């Protein structure tokens, strides 16, 4: 096992897996058919028991060890000492030293012990080191490894040969490289714990391949939206069919983004979000147009939608339909982006320095650097307080001569 680089994509049987599922069923059976073997788990039943006769003495030592070695607070150490009895510090210190060598900081060790205190009873060389080496061999960095283990401590107790590697091989067959497997681990480590989710992933991805989705899109789903890739197969297929019916192109990555949204919200929530937008004059067709342009707009909270539309439509006077044509604007922070930029634009309009029929997307859809260059830097000689206005530092006396709307926006931004 040591020193080996795992790349099953180059092997014949993994290729056979993605086409005919035979190896998939074999791997899944390895995960589900085995009766749990208490010998595989590195914690014994007696490690969990604390006798009444030596509870005070053993408990005091345990509390001290948890505070000194793991950096826990006295309160947390006392709480965990009721579940543990450390007879000497050698074992726990060996575990902690090994984890430190693989990138765990003191804070991360504390988090891991709080979440999974029995890790202190692990056998470093026999059970921990092979797993750490395996994850390192597939490209998990020492900076990412602690985060992955803290999110999913079950990696510490699962069998490397019978559980972790088979799950890795299934996920590896769905993506293009170990690097993408690592991305999937970083963004959805918890879902590797669910055997049913792993078993759903192969038919889910096969359904997408049958639709002609490119590997780029499939990798995007597995690496960034593991919860969707591993979800119940029937629900997954239903969401895929809905995305198709809405007219999304399977060859575009937006198909995956729409799938992710529709898999998250149920029909009742979809209907509710439509009703929220309809209050602002959006017809069903306009709502669908906005969704097709920016699917994530349907994941915004009612409060967020109302707050942004209330400002842009009522305070700024922008037609609601204009916002539907660039719905990604709704994602922006009202206090940090939308109001400051609208303030600058209104000041420039009042001075006749830019055209009055400027479209929203021309200043709300660009990045910070481009906005500053296009609307602030080049006009600072004409309007010396423009940068202050943008940063919310402008005093009321500096607003003399500006439009009423620009003045009100300035006051609104300063109150945010």
């Amino acid at each position: 096992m040591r020193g080996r680089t795992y790349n099953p994509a180059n092997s014949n049987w993994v290729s056979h897996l993605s086409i005919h599922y035979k190896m998939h069923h074999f791997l899944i059976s390895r995960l589900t058919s085995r009766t749990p073997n208490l010998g595989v788990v590195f914690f014994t039943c007696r490690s969990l028991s604390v006798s009444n006769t030596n509870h005070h003495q053993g408990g005091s030592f345990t509390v001290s060890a948890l505070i000194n070695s793991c950096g826990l607070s006295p309160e947390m150490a006392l709480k965990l000492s009721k579940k543990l009895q450390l007879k000497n510090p050698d074992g726990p210190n060996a575990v902690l030293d090994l984890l430190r060598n693989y990138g765990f900081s003191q804070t991360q060790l504390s988090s891991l012990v709080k979440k999974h205190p029995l890790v202190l009873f692990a056998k470093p060389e026999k059970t921990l080191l092979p797993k750490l080496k395996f994850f390192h061999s597939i490209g998990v960095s020492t900076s990412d490894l602690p985060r992955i283990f803290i999110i999913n401590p079950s990696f510490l107790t699962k069998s490397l040969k019978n559980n972790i590697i088979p799950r890795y091989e299934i996920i590896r067959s769905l993506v293009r490289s170990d690097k993408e497997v690592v991305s999937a681990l970083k963004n959805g480590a918890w879902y590797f714990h669910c055997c049913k989710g792993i078993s759903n992933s192969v038919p889910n991805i096969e359904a997408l391949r049958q639709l002609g989705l490119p590997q780029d899109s499939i990798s995007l789903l597995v690496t960034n939206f593991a919860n969707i890739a591993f979800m119940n197969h029937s629900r997954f297929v239903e969401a895929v069919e809905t995305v198709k019916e809405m007219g999304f192109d399977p060859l575009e990555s937006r198909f995956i983004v729409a799938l992710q949204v529709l898999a998250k919200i149920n029909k009742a929530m979809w209907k509710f979000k439509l009703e929220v937008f309809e209050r602002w004059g959006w017809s069903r067709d306009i709502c669908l147009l906005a969704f097709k342009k920016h699917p994530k707009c349907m994941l915004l909270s009612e409060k967020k939608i109302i707050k942004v539309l209330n400002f842009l439509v009522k305070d700024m006077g922008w037609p609601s339909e204009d916002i539907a044509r660039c719905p990604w604007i709704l994602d922006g922070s009202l206090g940090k982006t939308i109001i400051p930029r609208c303030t600058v634009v209104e000041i420039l309009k009042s001075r006749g320095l830019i055209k009055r029929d400027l479209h929203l997307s021309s200043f709300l859809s660009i990045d910070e650097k481009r906005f500053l260059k296009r609307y602030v830097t080049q006009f600072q000689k004409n309007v010396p307080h423009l940068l202050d206005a943008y940063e919310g530092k402008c005093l009321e006396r500096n607003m003399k001569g500006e439009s009423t709307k620009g003045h009100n926006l300035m006051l609104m931004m300063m109150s945010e």
Side-chain angles (χ1 to χ4, degrees):
M1 189 80 67
R2 299 183 181 182
R4 176 184 171 189
T5 299
Y6 290 83
N7 188 4
N10 294 332
S11 63
N12 292 332
W13 67 265
V14 169
S15 199
H16 196 61
L17 164 69
S18 61
I19 300 174
H20 298 293
Y21 299 112
K22 287 187 178 180
M23 198 60 190
H24 162 66
H25 293 301
F26 169 70
L27 292 171
I28 292 299
S29 67
R30 288 173 68 182
L31 298 176
T32 57
S33 63
R34 289 176 175 266
T35 302
N37 183 354
L38 296 181
V40 173
V41 182
F42 50 70
F43 307 127
T44 64
C45 293
R46 62 177 176 273
S47 299
L48 296 170
S49 62
V50 182
S51 69
N52 294 327
T53 56
N54 64 357
H55 175 74
H56 180 73
Q57 181 180 359
S60 298
F61 174 79
T62 301
V63 169
S64 176
L66 290 172
I67 293 173
N68 296 329
S69 297
C70 304
L72 299 182
S73 67
E75 294 79 13
M76 180 58 67
L78 182 61
K79 181 179 179 180
L80 292 181
S81 71
K82 297 176 182 178
K83 303 176 183 179
L84 307 171
Q85 182 182 353
L86 304 177
K87 296 182 179 178
N88 67 73
D90 294 343
N93 283 338
V95 169
L96 297 173
D97 288 342
L98 177 61
L99 292 174
R100 286 190 189 97
N101 288 338
Y102 276 83
F104 281 76
S105 67
Q106 190 63 38
T107 301
Q108 290 167 331
L109 287 173
S110 297
S111 297
L112 182 63
V113 172
K114 286 177 190 176
K115 198 167 184 179
H116 193 72
L118 292 179
V119 67
L120 297 174
F121 290 101
K123 296 177 181 178
E125 294 292 326
K126 185 176 180 180
T127 60
L128 281 185
L129 185 59
K131 295 172 186 177
L132 294 168
K133 284 191 171 184
F134 169 75
F135 282 103
H136 187 67
S137 76
I138 65 173
V140 179
S141 67
T142 52
S143 60
D144 291 328
L145 191 64
R147 179 171 172 262
I148 290 172
F149 272 60
I150 290 170
I151 291 173
N152 190 353
S154 72
F155 286 135
L156 296 166
T157 59
K158 298 294 183 183
S159 165
L160 178 63
K161 178 181 178 181
N162 298 322
N163 194 291
I164 295 174
I165 291 178
R167 293 179 187 224
Y168 154 77
E169 289 171 338
I170 290 173
I171 302 306
R172 180 62 181 81
S173 73
L174 306 179
V175 295
R176 294 170 294 194
S177 64
D178 277 345
K179 184 178 180 180
E180 291 185 346
V181 176
V182 173
S183 293
L185 277 167
K186 287 164 61 177
N187 293 318
W190 175 250
Y191 296 98
F192 282 67
H193 175 69
C194 178
C195 182
K196 190 174 181 180
I198 293 286
S199 67
N200 280 326
S201 64
V202 171
N204 286 350
I205 299 307
E206 185 62 24
L208 297 181
R209 285 179 172 155
Q210 288 176 1
L211 280 179
L213 267 74
Q215 184 60 47
D216 280 351
S217 294
I218 289 171
S219 291
L220 173 67
L221 179 68
V222 176
T223 58
N224 289 280
F225 309 117
N227 58 324
I228 307 303
F230 297 167
M231 72 184 296
N232 176 272
H233 183 58
S234 61
R235 280 191 60 209
F236 183 86
V237 171
E238 183 181 353
V240 169
E241 290 299 319
T242 304
V243 175
K244 277 174 54 185
E245 290 169 4
M246 287 183 169
F248 284 88
D249 186 351
L251 297 179
E252 295 181 359
S253 60
R254 200 174 297 171
F255 188 98
I256 292 297
V257 180
L259 174 61
Q260 180 245 347
V261 173
L262 289 173
K264 276 186 176 180
I265 61 177
N266 56 34
K267 292 180 180 179
M269 181 56 68
W270 173 266
K271 182 180 178 182
F272 173 72
K273 290 296 175 67
L274 290 178
E275 291 170 352
V276 172
F277 285 117
E278 284 172 350
R279 291 180 219 156
W280 294 90
W282 293 21
S283 66
R284 291 292 171 109
D285 288 340
I286 290 178
C287 288
L288 182 57
L289 174 66
F291 178 70
K292 290 183 73 173
K293 287 189 172 187
H294 185 61
K296 289 184 179 180
C297 69
M298 284 296 184
L299 293 180
L300 297 172
S301 69
E302 178 188 15
K303 183 179 179 180
K304 168 74 168 174
I305 294 169
I306 291 175
K307 203 172 180 181
V308 175
L309 285 176
N310 188 65
F311 171 74
L312 291 175
V313 177
K314 288 188 175 180
D315 296 337
M316 292 298 300
W318 293 98
S320 181
E321 294 81 359
D322 285 0
I323 301 163
R325 294 187 182 94
C326 46
W328 48 85
I329 287 172
L330 297 170
D331 286 348
S333 167
L334 194 59
K336 294 180 180 179
T337 303
I338 298 175
I339 293 178
R341 293 190 182 190
C342 286
T343 301
V344 168
V345 167
E346 285 302 315
I347 291 173
L348 295 176
K349 282 182 180 180
S350 70
R351 296 289 187 98
L353 295 171
I354 58 175
K355 59 185 182 180
R356 301 196 68 84
D357 60 347
L358 197 66
H359 195 273
L360 270 171
S361 61
S362 65
F363 63 91
L364 287 181
S365 298
I366 58 178
D367 61 35
E368 182 79 357
K369 185 177 180 180
R370 287 174 64 197
F371 178 83
L372 287 170
K373 182 178 179 180
R374 187 179 297 178
Y375 295 102
V376 178
T377 307
Q378 67 170 316
F379 296 113
Q380 279 194 282
K381 287 185 179 180
N382 306 82
V383 190
H385 63 268
L386 197 58
L387 182 59
D388 285 338
Y390 180 63
E391 294 176 346
K393 299 175 183 177
C394 184
L395 299 176
E396 189 171 349
R397 58 184 170 82
N398 289 329
M399 296 301 294
K400 290 178 180 179
E402 311 299 352
S403 67
T404 302
K405 184 183 286 186
H407 181 270
N408 291 339
L409 281 173
M410 190 67 246
L411 295 178
M412 186 184 298
M413 187 170 78
M414 293 173 70
S415 68
E416 280 288 320

